[in-house]
Each structure stands twice: as structure tokens, then as C-alpha cells.
Amino acid sequence: MKQFYNSKSLLRLSFLFVLLFSAITVLNSCKKDDDDEFQDHVVQFEVKTSTGGKIISVVTQVGTTQNTIYNTTATPVTSPWTSGEFFVNSSQAQLNLDANADMPDATSELTINLYIDGEVARTVKKVGKGVLTASLDYSFLEP
């Protein structure tokens, strides 16, 4: 009888252990489901020219929304130009920045930057005389 009691106790203990292990596994796997797949980021575009350079146009695109800015006498675009900070959800996937500038000499530089969460995510620099074009693309979905 005593041996029967010990095996019955052992069976109950092993059942309790399996139940506890299953509960911990389920709770741990659900913890990963609580994370948001997409996050908001602070984004800013910037276009800079060296001394004497004149920005001709700036084109920004966030997702499918495009914005074109032309340098005219009514709406001058001065260097450095910045878009100002704005929020973008990473579900938007694609950010694009293009700029044209008329540069005075062979050592002139046109630089465009993309800032994400206050840090430079991409930079493109073009050097030369005449009209220079710089373009950058960024995707939240690509590592």
C-alpha cells in the first residue's frame, strides 16, 4: 500500500510539473505578440550647399505622398534647407529625397541628409560645377 501511495504522489507531482511548464510556455510565447510591429519615428530632410551654391528644387516623398519645392523669387529656397521634424510610421516603408543645385566651381558640394530619430540615417554628397543632382532613398522594411 505504501508503494502505491508513493507512485500516486509521484504521478500527481509530475502532472503538476507538466501543467506548470505548459503555463509558463504559453505565457512566454504570448509576451512576444504584445510588441507593435510598426513604430513612429521622427524624420527630417536636409539639403545643404557650399558657399555660392543655389538650390533649384527639392522633392520629398513619404510613402506615396510627394512634395516638390521650387526656388523662385516669390518662394526662395536658401541653404541649408530643412523640412522640419515630422512623425512617420514605419508602415509607410519608403522615404525619398531629391535635390538640384547650381554650383559655382569644381569643388562645390551639394549634400542631402535624412535624419531618423535625430540621427543621420543616409547622406549623399555630390561635388562639382554646374547643376548637380543628389538623390537618396530609405526603407523601414529593409535592414
Side-chain angles (χ1 to χ4, degrees):
M1 177 84 176
K2 205 170 198 178
Q3 187 176 8
F4 176 74
Y5 178 74
N6 286 341
S7 65
K8 192 175 183 184
S9 200
L10 185 61
L11 183 63
R12 285 182 182 167
L13 187 61
S14 61
F15 177 73
L16 182 63
F17 177 73
V18 168
L19 184 65
L20 184 62
F21 181 75
S22 298
I24 290 172
T25 303
V26 168
L27 290 175
N28 197 25
S29 69
C30 291
K31 192 186 288 186
K32 294 177 185 173
D33 293 342
D34 293 341
D35 296 337
D36 291 333
E37 187 175 343
F38 298 111
Q39 298 177 348
D40 285 337
H41 297 279
V42 178
V43 173
Q44 183 176 20
F45 297 114
E46 179 184 50
V47 177
K48 296 189 288 187
T49 63
S50 55
T51 304
K54 290 177 58 180
I55 298 173
I56 298 170
S57 66
V58 176
V59 179
T60 62
Q61 183 172 346
V62 177
T64 59
T65 306
Q66 183 175 322
N67 185 27
T68 304
I69 300 165
Y70 295 103
N71 189 354
T72 65
T73 53
T75 57
V77 179
T78 58
S79 180
W81 174 87
T82 60
S83 65
E85 293 181 338
F86 54 96
F87 287 98
V88 173
N89 191 282
S90 58
S91 65
Q92 291 293 316
Q94 191 70 31
L95 301 171
N96 301 311
L97 172 62
D98 300 304
N100 295 328
D102 191 8
M103 308 307 282
D105 56 56
T107 60
S108 297
E109 293 181 353
L110 168 62
T111 306
I112 61 174
N113 296 308
L114 170 63
Y115 294 90
I116 297 178
D117 297 329
E119 296 182 17
V120 176
R122 293 265 200 289
T123 297
V124 174
K125 187 183 288 189
K126 300 289 182 167
V127 178
K129 182 178 180 175
V131 176
L132 300 180
T133 301
S135 178
L136 66 77
D137 304 317
Y138 183 86
S139 175
F140 287 109
L141 301 178
E142 296 174 6

